[in-house]
Amino acid sequence: MTTRGIEVALAQRSPEPIDGTLDGFAADVAATLTEHPNTGLLVYPEMHLCGTEHLPEADRPAALRAGAVPLDSEYVAALGAIAARHNVWLCPGSIGEIGSDGNFYNTQLLFAPNGELQATYRKMFPWRPFEPHVPGTHFTVHDLDTFQAGGNGQDESAAQPTGIVGLSICYDAWFPEHSRQLAWLGAELILNIVKTTSPDREQELILARANAITNQNVMASVNCAGPVGRGRSIVVGPEGFVIAEAGIGEETLTFTFNPNDVTEVRERGTMFSNRVWNQFTPEDAPVALPMYDGRINPTEWAPPSRQS
């Protein structure tokens, strides 16, 4: 296999105030990349730029709605400019999005190193009844290999990131169907951005490992830092082993993501034993899934294969 991979940094941070500017965020991106200069993909927590903790509790829902923007806004373009300034893949967390349908979504953003908005995902499972957002209805995966260097004055000889990422927001990880669908669509790394302020972070750490094990991919769950959040961001490999885990306060987790590691585990099996994506043969009968008014089709069970 050829050597492929990308250095990923998970920025466990306290939220930026929703009524502030992007100056603080831009400064943190610059400082983080100075400290970790080999970073190819930088990821921040859910609603990182939408902090309302400094406001009276009764005013927070209205502030979230007032701070929402469409994806073609100057605000989103300014975030892309930060990515381009540092020539890095950037997930600034999620923002409040006003869709073309007028609905209010919690939307994860992924910018390419040239500043272009490459992928978006609307949170499918808002934490009801506390979150005011409308649920999204579409899964999102993005192949980082599709990005072409040279735009915006980039050095075409620079090493390019690689791998397929799936986008996921916080409570989505509690629904195994979500991570399973992303893996089936080809996701080798799932970026689960989180804003957990409640005492159930311990359970989320178990879910990160479980989702990695059952789908044989890498799970990266980046939470916001204390005192607002419960921290403990985590990276889990495709066999369920913890690669890195943070404490409560602000820190940056770094790891090398190589999709070949996912391919290897899927081919030889978890612990040289379990090959969950090879469970069925084309001759097996479909399995009915009454809960979804659907079925598992054995001929379409496995994710798409990648050439290494």
Side-chain angles (χ1 to χ4, degrees):
M1 291 183 177
T2 57
T3 300
R4 303 156 60 227
I6 181 172
E7 297 298 314
V8 183
L10 306 182
Q12 179 171 289
R13 304 286 189 268
S14 294
E16 296 279 343
I18 194 169
D19 48 6
T21 69
L22 288 176
D23 292 345
F25 176 66
D28 189 78
V29 170
T32 302
L33 294 175
T34 297
E35 184 176 0
H36 305 283
N38 295 322
T39 299
L41 169 62
L42 177 58
V43 187
Y44 283 82
E46 176 189 19
M47 302 297 282
H48 175 64
L49 301 170
C50 305
T52 59
E53 290 73 25
H54 61 295
L55 300 174
E57 189 169 355
D59 296 341
R60 294 174 186 177
L64 285 173
R65 181 71 187 231
V69 296
L71 293 180
D72 60 357
S73 65
E74 293 183 3
Y75 183 83
V76 173
L79 291 172
I82 295 173
R85 190 179 309 151
H86 299 282
N87 191 31
V88 68
W89 285 93
L90 177 65
C91 172
S94 61
I95 63 169
E97 178 205 352
I98 298 298
S100 58
D101 55 6
N103 285 328
F104 177 35
Y105 298 100
N106 180 350
T107 302
Q108 188 173 1
L109 309 177
L110 180 65
F111 295 92
N114 66 355
E116 293 179 1
L117 183 60
Q118 292 286 295
T120 65
Y121 164 69
R122 293 168 172 170
K123 187 175 185 179
M124 198 169 290
F125 295 99
W127 192 40
R128 297 287 175 78
F130 306 104
E131 294 181 5
H133 307 99
V134 173
T137 56
H138 295 88
F139 297 92
T140 298
V141 299
H142 186 74
D143 189 346
L144 302 184
D145 284 332
T146 61
F147 175 72
Q148 299 297 317
N152 274 8
Q154 294 182 90
D155 178 3
E156 292 193 35
S157 66
Q160 290 305 298
T162 182
I164 300 176
V165 298
L167 303 187
S168 169
I169 304 177
C170 201
Y171 202 40
D172 290 335
W174 285 73
F175 297 84
E177 302 87 347
H178 193 274
S179 295
R180 172 53 53 86
Q181 183 68 35
L182 290 177
W184 184 82
L185 288 170
E188 297 150 323
L189 166 63
I190 293 179
L191 300 177
N192 179 233
I193 58 173
V194 181
K195 187 177 183 180
T196 293
T197 60
S198 49
D200 53 354
R201 184 59 182 164
E202 189 69 32
Q203 283 71 28
E204 291 179 344
L205 300 180
I206 297 171
L207 290 170
R209 296 188 69 180
N211 282 322
I213 292 169
T214 57
N215 297 303
Q216 294 179 321
N217 55 12
V218 178
M219 291 291 301
S221 174
V222 54
N223 191 19
C224 62
V228 174
R230 299 296 177 119
R232 299 188 69 187
S233 298
I234 192 171
V235 182
V236 184
E239 291 181 287
F241 296 114
V242 175
I243 296 172
E245 185 175 353
I248 305 299
E250 293 195 344
E251 62 179 285
T252 304
L253 287 185
T254 61
F255 67 102
T256 301
F257 166 61
N258 189 331
N260 286 337
D261 296 337
V262 172
T263 300
E264 179 185 352
V265 169
R266 289 178 177 177
E267 288 178 349
R268 64 164 167 80
T270 299
M271 302 304 292
F272 297 89
S273 179
N274 302 302
R275 301 172 69 229
V276 295
W277 292 112
N278 296 86
Q279 175 62 30
F280 297 101
T281 70
E283 292 75 28
D284 290 334
V287 178
L289 300 174
M291 181 178 179
Y292 305 107
D293 192 24
R295 64 179 186 169
I296 294 175
N297 185 341
T299 64
E300 299 177 353
W301 170 246
S305 60
R306 287 178 62 91
Q307 297 298 318
S308 299

